[in-house]
Amino acid sequence: MKKFFFAAIAAGIALTACVTNEEEVSVGTDAKISFEAPLVQNATRVTGEIGTFYDKNESFVVNAKFYQSTFTSWAAGENYITNETVSYNLGLNAWVPALDYYWPKDGLLTFMAYSPADHTTWKPQITGTPETLKADAVTISNGNRDMLYSELRKNRNTADTPGKNEYNGVDILFHHALSSIKFKVCLVADLGANTTITLKAIQLQHVHQNGNFSWDLNVDNAPEWTNTNTNKEYVITPVTGANQVLTTTPADVANAQPCIMMPQTLAHGGTDGNVIALITYTITNKDAAGNVLSEIEQNRTVDLSTLDYGTDQGVEWLPGKRYIYTVNAGLNRITFAPVVEDWKDQEVDYESTGGGK
């Protein structure tokens, strides 16, 4: 599972009225709570995913609880920051809450966060006994937003950990809640100069877009998505304007739309149907001068539940995993095998009907 970090820095405000520069910090001053850019560990950016550096145009939500001593449970703490949106501030080069919050002089803070801040249904909160991070009735409408949830960062009383991520701050670990789906395409073998296969579109069909998220706050356990339902189709490549000629070298689908899906089993069965990839492509034949002789469109469906996902998981998309499907396209060359039947003798009798002998 890919993991994300973010850290918080203290931007001090002097207690004396004569100091107005927020960058000027003196011993004993109040310290604002602000947040450093989330980072991703061991990950390569894919369009739509939160990459190595958190997008400065993105915002996340922070919650914090106050404890006189150490953390015992989320419910036992006093609310200190509640569902506060944190956005990038160019002047501070940090993510800053819409309202100012300061580190308490005594006691400790425990933080929880999620991203993005503006998702209409992704708003996980810690509830219940045992305590669980939950988000019910989540909907993945477009499949182009990365959704993250954090571990608890417990018992913090200052923006410490100097030097981590080039700032001083509180580090909070993020995880992916969804699965990332990616396609590569290639030819099985070279078709020669006169024939080309051009990818037009890839569509995912029968994908569940609604479900309930839950995580038991145990860092060794992955979250669960339950009650996934309601089919939706997602286009990986635009049907128009996508004209990627395939070669024998596997390549990412050009102009691919982000595809970040709800984790789910792929063999839905029943009326929902299994998750299917519909691949649309054209076969073009040209003469020696490059003139198009013929061009036809073809469609191929692949049932993703029939593929081999390895022994370490079931036939499903799991949270925090990126699934890379390689489409190996090939054609059977048209050849001719003429058959000539044996001659069959036909005897014809001729009898003259006139004249003499």
Side-chain angles (χ1 to χ4, degrees):
M1 181 175 290
K2 295 176 285 297
K3 299 178 179 178
F4 289 74
F5 288 92
F6 74 86
I9 67 170
I13 295 183
L15 296 177
T16 55
C18 62
V19 178
T20 59
N21 188 345
E22 288 190 341
E23 296 180 356
E24 197 168 328
V25 181
S26 302
V27 175
T29 62
D30 292 332
K32 277 185 182 179
I33 298 174
S34 58
F35 297 86
E36 172 47 42
L39 294 181
V40 61
Q41 232 181 8
N42 301 325
T44 301
R45 182 175 179 81
V46 175
T47 303
E49 296 179 1
I50 298 295
T52 302
F53 291 97
Y54 196 80
D55 191 334
K56 292 181 179 179
N57 295 313
E58 193 68 275
S59 299
F60 54 94
V61 172
V62 169
N63 289 272
K65 292 274 193 168
F66 171 79
Y67 303 82
Q68 290 291 349
S69 57
T70 58
F71 173 89
T72 55
S73 69
W74 185 256
E78 297 180 47
N79 291 332
Y80 196 78
I81 301 176
T82 302
N83 296 330
E84 190 66 46
T85 297
V86 181
S87 303
Y88 181 71
N89 182 292
L90 179 62
L92 296 176
N93 192 27
W95 271 255
V96 178
L99 299 176
D100 290 340
Y101 292 88
Y102 295 83
W103 290 99
K105 297 296 185 181
D106 299 304
L108 301 168
L109 296 180
T110 291
F111 295 88
M112 183 276 286
Y114 65 86
S115 173
D118 61 351
H119 197 287
T120 56
T121 59
W122 175 245
K123 301 181 184 299
Q125 298 294 323
I126 299 173
T127 61
T129 304
E131 291 185 329
T132 305
L133 184 68
K134 290 186 176 182
D136 291 336
V138 179
T139 299
I140 308 300
S141 299
N142 300 317
N144 58 7
R145 297 293 297 276
D146 203 349
M147 288 166 28
L148 312 174
Y149 65 98
S150 81
E151 298 178 11
L152 298 182
R153 182 52 76 202
K154 303 174 183 177
N155 304 325
R156 310 313 289 263
N157 60 6
T158 184
D160 51 14
T161 64
K164 191 182 189 73
N165 188 21
E166 300 180 359
Y167 291 86
N168 299 331
V170 177
D171 57 310
I172 293 184
L173 190 59
F174 270 109
H175 301 272
H176 293 287
L178 302 181
S179 304
S180 179
I181 313 303
K182 185 178 179 181
F183 281 84
K184 292 178 178 287
V185 290
C186 69
L187 293 176
V188 174
D190 188 11
L191 299 176
N194 298 330
T195 302
T196 57
I197 294 180
T198 303
L199 179 71
K200 303 298 290 184
I202 299 177
Q203 292 181 336
L204 288 177
Q205 299 179 343
H206 308 155
V207 179
H208 284 173
Q209 68 165 337
N210 297 324
N212 300 329
F213 170 91
S214 65
W215 180 55
D216 64 3
L217 304 183
N218 186 331
V219 296
D220 294 325
N221 296 335
E224 294 182 351
W225 285 91
T226 57
N227 195 33
T228 62
N229 58 83
T230 310
N231 282 353
K232 183 177 175 63
E233 294 185 2
Y234 296 90
V235 179
I236 308 301
T237 305
V239 175
T240 58
N243 296 290
Q244 182 174 359
V245 177
L246 275 58
T247 69
T248 55
T249 301
D252 294 341
V253 174
N255 302 317
Q257 298 298 303
C259 188
I260 306 177
M261 301 287 97
M262 179 169 289
Q264 59 195 275
T265 60
L266 303 179
H268 296 158
T271 56
D272 282 359
N274 298 339
V275 177
I276 289 174
L278 173 62
I279 303 163
T280 303
Y281 61 96
T282 58
I283 302 173
T284 304
N285 295 304
K286 299 179 181 180
D287 61 20
N291 299 310
V292 175
L293 300 176
S294 64
E295 183 174 272
I296 60 173
E297 184 172 286
Q298 301 277 280
N299 292 291
R300 174 70 185 275
T301 59
V302 178
D303 186 340
L304 299 187
S305 72
T306 64
L307 304 180
D308 183 6
Y309 291 82
T311 59
D312 61 338
Q313 73 156 81
V315 182
E316 58 186 325
W317 292 334
L318 295 175
K321 286 195 174 184
R322 180 188 299 149
Y323 294 88
I324 302 174
Y325 295 92
T326 300
V327 178
N328 297 294
L331 297 176
N332 292 324
R333 186 177 181 181
I334 297 175
T335 59
F336 298 89
V339 175
V340 179
E341 291 186 347
D342 292 339
W343 293 105
K344 293 182 179 180
D345 295 336
Q346 175 66 47
E347 297 286 346
V348 178
D349 291 333
Y350 173 75
E351 180 178 348
S352 176
T353 56
K357 293 182 179 179

